[in-house]
Amino acid sequence: MHHAGTPSPGNTATTPTRRTVLAATAGVTAALTIGQTGAHATADDARLRGIVSRMSLEEKVGQLFVSRVYGHSATAPDQADIDTNLRELGVRTAAELLARYRLGGVIYFTWARNTRTPHQIAELSNGIQQASLDLPRGLPVLISTDQEHGTVARVGRPATLFPGAMAVGAGGSRADARTLGRVAGEELRALGIRQDYSPVADVNVNPANPVIGVRSFGADPEAVAGLVAAEAAGYQGAGVAATAKHFPGHGDTEVDSHYGFPVIEHTREQWETIDAPPFRAAIRAGVDSVMTAHIMVPALDPSGDPATLSRPILTGILREELGYDGVVVTDSLGMEGVRTKYGDDRVPVLALRAGVDQLLNPPRLDVAWNAVLAAVRDGELTEERLDTSVLRVLRLKARLGLFEDPYVSARGVDRAVGTGPHLAAADRIAERTTTLLVNEGGLLPLSAREHPRLLVAGADPASPSGTTGPPTGVLAAALGELGFTATALSTGTAPSAATVERAVAAARDADAVVVATYNVTAADSQRTLVERLLATGTPVVAVAVRNPYDVAQLPGVRGYLASYSWTDVELRAAARVIAGTVAPRGKLPVPVQRADDPARVLYPVGHGLTY
């Protein structure tokens, strides 16, 4: 479906605006290779500096912002999205947003209805590029998204979805991490998305972390560092900017910075040994961008400011000590963690003063944009300070080839997105991540001859975006394909007494039960469910579909697997391990503490059984 003003992905190669851009920036990308973040003192830099020198102050301010915008089309979104755009952004469409603010970037979200189908995403990307390039001195747009895989993904099926970071950490293979980045990067690039806010470089040393958890590769700084560098190299080899996040390290917090203001109590020495290694490795690997965290780290900056607004952290440590000269992007400025101390008008100015280049998704773009403009006019920020960041953003666009060809094609989508080889790569990687934690008496694998009738019960958390879900259904279907007769019974994350009774009755008629657990706590009715299922005498196999820590709460289970997420690819791999068509190979990337004595480790890093 093509709307007037939105080019078809297949016929954009001859747009006059692109020729104009090419003429103005000819050869700009020749010497800029992917992954280099050092000083680009090349002839091309002179050309980029020339572009900056011809920009108005308003255009410079615009280049520093990355905003959401609602709708599936740049020029003709649905009426509901037009209404939301008017309410939140003061414009009707993405095209109008670009014309008003001269934005450097746009971020896609599922909830903003940007990511319905691959061809629609490609057309939206082309429409955004066209709208920007049609403006006087128009520049290509850096389109970004949060495609971490696992529990956080904005582009869903039929695109290829991979295991999340902690699962990849359990697989332990840098080659797999690089393959994930390369394949996922090829698909994002085909959709016109050229900056991915991944990989997560946080070292998850706190089991109670509510916001990172399985989004981290694990608890061992060196292991995390190797996987972060490999995945970033994979993305960038495919022509997509990777982003190491959340600097200076969000791994040891019990507060979610979306809703509160976490404080990290690490000493400077602990920060050096635990949090810094993955960021150092990403910088050595030439990572294109680093995202800041809305956290307070008193040992690095005693002022009480969040890292996003901290000059000692972003300029003193990231730029000067770690030598990073790439693009620094804030975490979303709509999150509570950055808004608790200063108003929405001060936050973007303070972020720029701290050393940030890209201001991501301010809650009120007009307030933020005008505040930066006013700060330059009042002398609080110099125009030279803006030029430094604009140049970094343009260097990244040049390195990604956006000045040469910002458009994508329908044919490119079909060639790259959700192809057979890509889906198979995701399945193979997932098979190396499933971790067998407990297997008393050789309960696993289950045989379809000895245990033909399976009950698949348990938690059905909302499916990670773009997977089929719910978990019990996906597991039951996968086990059915492997020769079992499997019945799904969703019991939820907080099963009622009646639900438990229904599951117990069903278990008595089954040869074995597979039960999915989700973040089990001491007072959780999921515990009651599993204990009652065990009491039936029917063999019970449990799969922790998010945090591997569940196993500590359920010591009676004789067969326990960890899948680290409830995406289809990980659940199908777990089903193959349960059926024995694949041997479990994952090793815990985080320690599991005892439930009755959290100071003692029940299963250490590296624990994982096989058969």
Side-chain angles (χ1 to χ4, degrees):
M1 184 165 70
H2 301 304
H3 302 290
T6 307
S8 146
N11 63 12
T12 49
T14 54
T15 44
T17 45
R18 206 186 106 215
R19 273 209 298 278
T20 321
V21 167
L22 280 172
T25 59
V28 104
T29 48
L32 300 181
T33 56
I34 280 175
Q36 292 183 341
T37 50
H40 304 297
T42 63
D44 296 318
D45 235 31
R47 282 197 186 82
L48 294 177
R49 288 176 196 276
I51 294 174
V52 176
S53 71
R54 292 189 292 276
M55 291 167 74
S56 69
L57 179 58
E58 288 82 357
E59 286 165 23
K60 290 175 181 178
V61 172
Q63 278 302 298
L64 305 180
F65 281 98
V66 182
S67 178
R68 70 196 175 284
V69 65
Y70 295 82
H72 70 288
S73 156
T75 52
D78 295 342
Q79 187 62 46
D81 291 321
I82 290 174
D83 295 343
T84 308
N85 282 329
L86 283 168
R87 191 170 61 249
E88 292 191 17
L89 299 161
V91 296
R92 295 168 63 256
T93 66
E96 289 178 17
L97 188 70
L98 291 159
R100 177 169 302 180
Y101 293 106
R102 303 303 294 256
L103 291 176
V106 168
I107 178 173
Y108 287 171
F109 289 106
T110 316
W111 49 259
R113 288 167 294 285
N114 303 136
T115 57
R116 293 179 181 178
T117 69
H119 284 280
Q120 166 269 319
I121 297 169
E123 286 194 39
L124 174 60
S125 298
N126 282 346
I128 284 170
Q129 298 295 0
Q130 178 92 56
S132 185
L133 291 170
D134 277 347
L135 297 167
R137 296 180 303 283
L139 293 167
V141 178
L142 188 52
I143 297 171
S144 61
T145 201
D146 289 290
Q147 190 80 350
E148 295 174 13
H149 296 272
T151 62
V152 177
R154 311 299 187 207
V155 179
R157 296 171 70 245
T160 305
L161 290 163
F162 282 89
M166 193 172 283
V168 173
S173 164
R174 294 181 186 186
D176 281 353
R178 184 184 285 261
T179 298
L180 185 161
R182 178 181 57 77
V183 171
E186 285 171 9
E187 298 199 9
L188 289 176
R189 182 177 178 155
L191 301 172
I193 299 169
R194 302 300 297 275
Q195 183 178 25
D196 188 11
Y197 299 131
S198 190
V200 171
D202 303 317
V203 180
N204 199 74
V205 292
N206 188 335
N209 193 323
V211 61
I212 306 301
V214 295
R215 296 168 58 201
S216 160
F217 287 109
D220 176 343
E222 292 311 316
V224 173
L227 295 169
V228 164
E231 191 174 297
Y235 275 111
Q236 293 185 190
V240 169
T243 309
K245 66 185 188 185
H246 308 77
F247 190 83
H250 208 315
D252 190 4
T253 168
E254 293 182 24
V255 174
D256 182 341
S257 51
H258 290 83
Y259 310 108
F261 186 20
V263 180
I264 307 278
E265 299 288 4
H266 286 183
T267 63
R268 173 72 203 226
E269 188 182 24
Q270 284 174 313
W271 179 81
E272 288 284 358
T273 55
I274 296 170
D275 304 291
F279 291 101
R280 289 186 191 277
I283 291 165
R284 274 198 306 274
V287 77
D288 277 323
S289 39
V290 171
M291 181 180 282
T292 68
H294 304 325
I295 55 174
M296 195 198 311
V297 191
L300 305 184
D301 177 0
S303 72
D305 286 347
T308 297
L309 309 180
S310 165
R311 189 168 173 84
I313 290 175
L314 298 186
T315 297
I317 296 176
L318 180 57
R319 294 271 189 230
E320 292 168 3
E321 288 182 33
L322 302 189
Y324 184 63
D325 191 37
V327 169
V328 174
V329 56
T330 69
D331 204 342
S332 168
L333 296 181
M335 290 166 58
E336 201 54 44
V338 78
R339 301 172 76 189
T340 50
K341 190 171 174 184
Y342 302 100
D344 290 340
D345 57 334
R346 294 301 298 149
V347 164
V349 176
L350 294 171
L352 289 169
R353 286 179 56 180
V356 156
D357 303 304
Q358 283 185 309
L359 300 156
L360 179 61
N361 204 27
R364 290 281 307 279
L365 181 58
D366 57 339
V367 169
W369 192 86
N370 283 306
V372 174
L373 201 59
V376 179
R377 291 192 171 139
D378 299 345
E380 187 184 0
L381 286 170
T382 65
E383 196 163 347
E384 290 73 26
R385 168 68 193 89
L386 260 55
D387 290 353
T388 302
S389 285
V390 172
L391 186 59
R392 282 200 190 99
V393 171
L394 294 185
R395 277 179 186 151
L396 179 50
K397 291 179 181 183
R399 210 155 59 242
L400 294 169
L402 284 168
F403 285 99
E404 293 172 319
D405 188 5
Y407 296 108
V408 292
S409 72
R411 199 167 59 248
V413 171
D414 293 335
R415 271 204 301 260
V417 179
T419 62
H422 285 184
L423 295 168
D427 279 332
R428 294 295 83 77
I429 288 173
E431 284 174 357
R432 296 190 271 275
T433 67
T434 311
T435 308
L436 180 59
L437 301 172
V438 180
N439 194 20
E440 288 174 21
L443 174 59
L444 286 163
L446 298 180
S447 132
R449 281 193 308 280
E450 290 172 42
H451 305 97
R453 292 169 308 159
L454 298 183
L455 170 67
V456 181
D460 273 333
S463 182
S465 53
T467 63
T468 50
T472 54
V474 175
L475 276 170
L479 289 162
E481 286 171 25
L482 292 163
F484 297 88
T485 303
T487 309
L489 175 64
S490 174
T491 50
T493 49
S496 66
T499 301
V500 170
E501 291 308 329
R502 204 161 65 246
V504 166
R508 293 199 176 103
D509 292 334
D511 300 306
V513 180
V514 175
V515 59
T517 66
Y518 182 91
N519 295 5
V520 180
T521 59
D524 204 319
S525 58
Q526 287 184 76
R527 281 184 68 171
T528 311
L529 169 72
V530 175
E531 282 160 5
R532 290 287 309 282
L533 289 170
L534 288 167
T536 63
T538 306
V540 174
V541 175
V543 183
V545 298
R546 186 167 183 156
N547 286 330
Y549 313 117
D550 292 2
V551 66
Q553 298 289 350
L554 296 161
V557 177
R558 289 171 42 221
Y560 221 126
L561 295 164
S563 70
Y564 307 98
S565 179
W566 61 106
T567 48
D568 300 355
V569 69
E570 285 159 291
L571 294 172
R572 288 199 310 264
R576 291 195 290 277
V577 169
I578 289 168
T581 56
V582 173
R585 290 163 61 182
K587 307 279 186 208
L588 274 178
V590 291
V592 173
Q593 278 94 355
R594 287 178 54 145
D596 58 350
D597 184 2
R600 290 170 63 193
V601 170
L602 180 63
Y603 298 113
V605 169
H607 172 77
L609 310 172
T610 191
Y611 26 87

